[in-house]
């Protein structure tokens, strides 16, 4: 229907030392009538007719792009104190805070054409301008921007941590796009704010590359998430003790422009509740409900209860989706959990390789508090803290109902998990034995340390004939799994179960499974390899990964060549994910 054409942008070094890196972007050919067919965002199918989504309406010139802070500034009191010095802030939701420009030369290390065009209506051609790099790194403010830093608190690692807030992020404003969606633009790594505590307000190259790549990858896996539009790398030195072992190294500062429908977190409500700022708590909740929960009637007496019920459900479903792709968030603190139940704050996350419920992406998390197997319980804990934050606004009877709702969290999670894992195995219909079939497989995977992603993918790619003949010649993960003494029993039961669906063709089963079991996920070793190059200003592998992870369910020659579906290399096992960022 629509064709893609690879275009290579060349390195340009201008007199003021602004550098555009070499990277690939994909263009629609302008003479293609169906050009807008490439818009893959799920919401594009439900476009309100009052919006003209024609690709021709993309802005080719940044002068036509404007953001606004009016909604947020109109709705809430703003901190009366000005300046970026660290302080304790009360009776407001935001402080005015201006980004601190990164020191050049600035390199545009990556851009997401999907985010720029699909969310911000910007023709990707705007990225060649010097202005673009300034706008997305904090050097210049988009017209209409009155940047803000958000005040929030949170429970970190089980304990109330008091005031936290945007310590190195600036909310630039919101933008309503041609589909009628409103997105908040936020810079991360853009300098100190009143909430920086002991931090320097910067983010380093490695953590920024990881956030950029993973948030876009999660979107294309179909998992609710914040998005990333651009990544700018500077030469500004930043000092980090990467493994908290006293070994301080100089790294470089980087800024990501990230997007979310809203950046409010559980901690946004908690700080108001903890401080007894109940009018503001009510105001913030009313705002969030009116803006983001259209199905909740804003003048119903039980709207806070309805809100809570909705967040409990959506967060449980989100965490089940994480599990279905082996994603561990790494820092499930209440300040890192979105009120809209989208994945935010990509820190020491990881995709599990060998299946292991004890998988911990943060190597300093010795207790395994946020191991992948404990993740749902961390979610439950966070929902309990959300309820505590809402309590002052709920009647005694409503609190009782909310406590019942809280108790449904793990059931909703389990039910959704079961649906997702049944789909991963290609099972149709209902069968009482299905849960056992899934659990049995996971047990075999745990015992054999079979690769999580590739076990499911290779089961999808194998024909029933190959499975019956135990032909795993090109399936390294299944070979590992098949070393288990009880694997054959499991496979027989599985094949019988598949055979029971008489109307199901084997090709349909394979296609169905391949559409939910990715062949490529952002494994740590892949990110690490791209980061090592990015540290030397070679962003080619960032671009390659970004491009491949846009179609994680599709076998791609470039990915195969790079070994992204192969057994992880030997050095992958020694990798530690750094915690400082
Ligand atoms: C949508 O916008 C395009 C480009 O500006 C224009 O050519 C087209 O007529 C518009 N369509 C409608 C239905 O307004
Ligand atoms: C909410 O209140 C307004 C006016 O107070 C009223 O017009 C509207 O019908 C109410 N909506 C619901 C769902 O009760
Ligand atoms: C629960 O959340 C999921 C995912 O967000 C959604 O599809 C489903 O409709 C929700 N269920 C209820 C009862 O709200
Ligand atoms: C996420 O959690 C980590 C650890 O608690 C914290 O350092 C970080 O500030 C949080 N991220 C944001 C953006 O709040
Ligand atoms: C990793 O876990 C340790 C131990 O719980 C914690 O102190 C550290 O802050 C965590 N790292 C991040 C980035 O949250
Ligand atoms: C095993 O499967 C592969 C494809 O994965 C095929 O090329 C090969 O011929 C099969 N071998 C046997 C013995 O069936």
């Amino acid at each position: 229907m629509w064709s893609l054409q690879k275009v290579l942008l060349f390195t340009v070094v201008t007199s003021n030392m602004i550098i555009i890196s070499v990277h690939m972007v994909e263009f629609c050919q302008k003479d293609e009538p169906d050009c807008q067919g490439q818009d893959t965002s799920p919401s594009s199918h439900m476009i309100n007719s009052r919006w003209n989504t024609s690709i021709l309406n993309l802005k080719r010139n940044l002068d036509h792009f404007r953001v606004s802070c009016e909604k947020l500034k109109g709705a809430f009191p703003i901190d009366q104190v000005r300046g970026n010095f660290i302080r304790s802030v009360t009776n407001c939701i935001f402080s005015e805070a201006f980004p601190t420009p990164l020191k050049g030369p600035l390199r545009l290390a990556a851009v997401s054409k999907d985010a720029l065009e699909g969310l911000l209506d910007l023709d990707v051609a705007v990225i060649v301008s010097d202005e673009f790099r300034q706008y997305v790194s904090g050097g210049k403010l988009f017209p209409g921007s009155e940047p803000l830093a958000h005040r929030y608190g949170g429970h970190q690692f089980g304990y109330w941590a008091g005031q936290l807030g945007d310590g190195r992020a600036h909310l630039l404003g919101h933008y309503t796009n041609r589909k009628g969606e409103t997105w908040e633009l936020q810079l991360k790594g853009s300098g100190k704010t009143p909430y920086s505590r002991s931090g320097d307000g910067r983010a380093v190259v490695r953590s920024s590359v990881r956030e950029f790549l993973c948030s876009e990858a999660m979107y294309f896996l179909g998992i609710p998430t914040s998005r990333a539009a651009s990544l700018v790398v500077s030469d500004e030195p930043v000092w980090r003790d990467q493994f908290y072992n006293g070994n301080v190294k100089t790294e470089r500062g980087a800024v990501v422009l990230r997007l979310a429908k809203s950046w409010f977190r559980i901690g946004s409500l908690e700080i108001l509740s903890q401080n007894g700022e109940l009018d503001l708590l009510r105001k913030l909740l009313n705002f969030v409900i009116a803006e983001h929960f259209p199905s909740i009637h804003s003048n119903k007496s039980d709207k806070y209860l309805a809100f809570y019920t909705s967040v409990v459900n959506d967060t449980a479903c989100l965490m089940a989706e994480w599990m279905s792709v082996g994603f561990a968030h790494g820092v499930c603190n209440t300040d890192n959990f979105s009120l809209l139940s989208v994945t935010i704050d990509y820190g020491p996350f990881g995709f599990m390789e060998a299946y292991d419920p004890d998988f911990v992406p943060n190597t300093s998390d010795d207790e395994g508090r946020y191991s992948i197997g404990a993740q749902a319980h961390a979610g439950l804990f966070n929902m309990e803290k959300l309820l505590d934050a809402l309590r002052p606004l709920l009647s005694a009877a409503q609190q009782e109902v909310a406590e019942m709702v809280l108790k449904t969290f793990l059931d909703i999670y389990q039910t959704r998990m079961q649906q997702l894992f049944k789909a991963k195995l290609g099972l149709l219909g209902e069968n009482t034995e299905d849960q056992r079939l899934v659990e049995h497989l996971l047990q075999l995977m745990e015992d054999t340390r079979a690769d999580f992603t590739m076990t499911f993918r290779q089961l999808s790619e194998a024909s029933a004939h190959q499975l019956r003949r135990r032909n795993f010649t090109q399936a390294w993960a299944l070979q590992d799994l098949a070393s288990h003494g009880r694997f054959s029993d499991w496979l027989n039961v599985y094949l019988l179960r598949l055979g029971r669906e008489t109307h199901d063709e084997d090709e349909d089963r394979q296609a169905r499974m391949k559409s939910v079991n990715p062949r490529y996920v952002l494994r740590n070793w892949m990110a690490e390899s791209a980061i090592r190059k990015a540290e030397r200003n070679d962003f080619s592998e960032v671009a390659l990964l970004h491009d491949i992870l846009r179609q994680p369910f599709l076998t791609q020659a470039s990915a195969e060549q790079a070994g992204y579906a192969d057994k992880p290399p030997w050095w992958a096992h020694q990798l530690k994910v750094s915690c400082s960022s």
Side-chain angles (χ1 to χ4, degrees):
M1 293 294 210
W2 46 275
S3 66
L4 289 173
Q5 190 190 345
K6 301 237 184 243
V7 176
L8 203 56
L9 299 179
F10 294 97
T11 302
V12 181
V13 182
T14 58
S15 53
N16 57 349
M17 290 291 285
I18 299 289
I19 298 167
I20 303 172
S21 72
V22 177
H23 59 282
M24 311 267 269
V25 286
E26 288 171 339
F27 278 101
C28 229
Q29 280 175 331
K30 293 288 179 282
D31 53 352
E32 288 268 344
D34 279 331
C35 213
Q36 73 260 46
Q38 69 181 308
D39 188 347
T40 53
S41 74
S43 55
S44 65
H45 306 299
M46 303 174 271
I47 299 153
N48 190 327
S49 60
R50 120 188 131 83
W51 305 93
N52 185 337
T53 62
S54 166
I55 198 101
L56 296 172
N57 286 343
L58 290 184
K59 296 174 176 58
R60 294 201 167 74
N61 191 326
L62 279 172
D63 296 345
H64 300 127
F65 186 76
R66 250 195 99 74
V67 299
S68 164
C69 290
E70 280 155 31
K71 221 180 225 171
L72 293 171
K73 290 188 93 166
F76 306 114
I78 304 290
D79 184 9
Q80 292 301 303
V81 184
R82 299 289 150 89
N84 276 349
F85 61 94
I86 315 316
R87 58 186 179 266
S88 166
V89 178
T90 53
N91 296 310
C92 68
I93 308 277
F94 292 103
S95 299
E96 283 179 349
F98 287 86
T100 308
L102 276 176
K103 295 200 179 74
L106 300 180
R107 293 173 173 86
L108 187 57
V111 290
S112 166
K113 177 179 180 279
D114 304 291
L116 287 180
E117 290 197 356
L119 311 183
L120 299 182
D121 300 343
L122 287 170
D123 190 311
V124 74
V126 302
I127 68 170
V128 299
S129 74
D130 172 31
E131 269 194 316
F132 180 78
R133 258 157 292 135
Q134 297 295 333
Y135 282 134
V136 302
S137 64
K140 210 173 161 185
L141 292 176
F142 285 117
S145 176
E146 298 170 78
L148 300 169
H150 176 38
R151 167 191 176 222
Y152 56 82
H155 277 83
Q156 298 195 318
F157 308 101
Y159 300 96
W160 174 243
Q163 176 180 303
L164 300 165
D166 288 334
R168 51 179 170 168
H170 293 85
L171 181 59
L172 299 177
H174 58 81
Y175 176 75
T176 302
N177 70 17
R178 66 197 203 285
K179 295 172 208 159
E181 306 161 345
T182 296
W183 289 87
E184 290 181 358
L185 287 77
Q186 194 190 64
L187 296 179
K188 180 171 174 182
S190 41
K192 282 191 185 174
T193 75
Y195 307 99
S196 296
R197 292 176 284 159
S198 58
D200 58 14
R202 292 303 185 199
V204 295
V205 172
R206 59 187 154 75
S207 66
S208 306
V209 165
R210 284 166 54 85
E211 170 141 19
F212 177 89
L213 286 177
C214 196
S215 55
E216 286 301 281
M218 288 288 266
Y219 170 74
F220 287 103
L221 284 168
I223 296 176
T225 177
S226 62
R227 301 288 302 273
S230 65
L231 165 66
V232 171
V233 168
S234 76
D235 276 358
E236 182 169 322
V238 172
W239 286 270
R240 288 289 182 276
D241 182 356
Q242 190 176 348
F243 296 108
Y244 300 120
N245 59 4
N247 190 4
V248 178
K249 276 199 326 193
T250 312
E251 301 190 45
R252 289 187 296 151
V255 170
V256 173
L257 172 61
R258 23 182 230 178
L259 311 166
K261 298 267 174 76
S262 165
W263 289 101
F264 288 128
R265 307 136 189 282
I266 296 176
S268 306
L269 300 172
E270 279 182 294
I271 191 143
L272 302 175
S273 193
Q274 292 263 352
N275 271 20
E277 298 170 35
L278 300 188
D279 285 343
L280 211 44
L281 176 65
R282 196 171 289 114
K283 209 172 229 181
L284 178 54
L285 265 170
N286 291 347
F287 180 88
V288 169
I289 291 170
E291 292 291 322
H292 303 290
F293 291 79
S295 62
I296 300 179
H297 291 303
S298 53
N299 44 2
K300 273 218 176 137
S301 61
D302 62 354
K303 64 180 168 179
Y304 300 138
L305 193 54
F307 165 79
Y308 183 66
T309 308
S310 181
V311 178
V312 166
N313 171 68
D314 291 355
T315 302
C317 290
L318 173 71
M319 297 185 85
E321 301 222 16
W322 287 355
M323 194 66 194
S324 77
V325 293
F327 175 81
H329 180 286
V331 200
C332 299
N333 293 336
T334 56
D335 55 314
N336 289 341
F337 261 48
S338 152
L339 289 180
L340 304 196
S341 306
V342 302
T343 317
I344 56 169
D345 289 349
Y346 291 83
F349 66 83
F351 284 89
M352 168 169 68
E353 300 205 332
Y355 177 75
D356 177 9
D358 295 331
F359 169 65
V360 181
N362 166 6
T363 43
S364 323
D365 184 0
D366 303 325
E367 285 172 44
R369 179 178 176 89
Y370 296 141
S371 71
I372 197 162
Q375 210 159 238
H377 286 94
L380 177 66
F381 176 87
N382 290 351
M383 291 302 108
E384 199 181 312
K385 296 302 157 195
L386 174 60
L387 173 54
D388 288 346
L390 298 178
R391 273 183 205 282
L393 306 185
L394 300 176
S395 68
Q398 285 173 330
Q399 290 186 46
E400 259 176 51
V401 178
E403 279 155 19
M404 308 283 283
V405 169
L406 173 64
K407 289 205 181 89
T408 65
F409 180 86
L410 289 177
D411 288 339
I412 298 170
Y413 172 80
Q414 284 299 343
T415 305
R416 184 75 187 124
M417 279 265 285
Q418 188 59 22
Q419 284 170 353
L420 291 166
F421 276 81
K422 269 184 68 175
K424 285 174 82 68
L425 284 180
L427 305 179
L428 296 174
E430 293 301 324
N431 191 301
T432 47
E433 289 299 298
D434 287 349
Q435 187 166 346
R436 263 206 51 69
L437 194 66
V438 171
E439 281 167 6
H440 191 182
L441 174 62
L442 293 178
Q443 187 60 55
L444 300 181
M445 288 168 70
E446 187 178 344
D447 292 348
T448 54
R449 298 193 56 79
D451 187 82
F452 180 79
T453 302
M454 286 312 275
T455 297
F456 284 101
R457 181 69 189 191
Q458 289 171 353
L459 282 173
S460 322
E461 290 173 350
S463 66
H465 179 72
Q466 277 172 317
L467 291 176
R468 250 180 259 117
R469 300 194 48 171
R470 312 292 194 257
N471 173 1
F472 306 130
T473 43
Q474 276 165 33
W476 56 269
L478 292 184
Q479 282 170 19
D480 288 344
L481 190 68
S483 68
H484 201 289
R486 284 162 54 212
F487 171 73
S488 225
D489 295 344
W490 177 84
L491 188 55
N492 287 336
V493 177
Y494 179 50
L495 287 167
L496 270 175
R497 172 68 175 85
L498 289 180
R500 209 169 290 157
E501 294 297 331
T502 45
H503 297 297
D504 191 22
E505 295 294 332
D506 197 42
E507 280 110 58
D508 295 341
R509 185 234 1 135
Q510 286 179 285
R512 209 163 55 233
M513 286 174 72
K514 282 194 267 189
S515 74
V516 295
N517 291 312
R519 189 163 167 92
Y520 316 110
V521 292
L522 184 63
R523 295 169 189 263
N524 272 336
W525 70 267
M526 288 156 57
E528 187 62 25
S529 168
I531 288 165
R532 284 179 194 173
K533 288 183 185 149
E535 302 279 14
R536 303 192 302 263
N537 292 327
D538 169 1
F539 306 112
S540 58
E541 197 163 343
V542 174
L544 178 69
L545 276 172
H546 180 209
D547 192 44
I548 286 165
L549 295 171
R550 292 177 70 241
Q551 295 178 291
F553 303 107
L554 191 72
T555 303
Q556 298 164 60
S558 55
E560 297 302 307
Q561 208 177 351
Y564 291 156
D566 294 347
K567 226 176 190 148
W570 60 270
W571 55 269
H573 305 292
Q574 279 132 4
L575 266 188
K576 281 182 152 193
V577 177
S578 69
C579 297
S580 73
S581 57

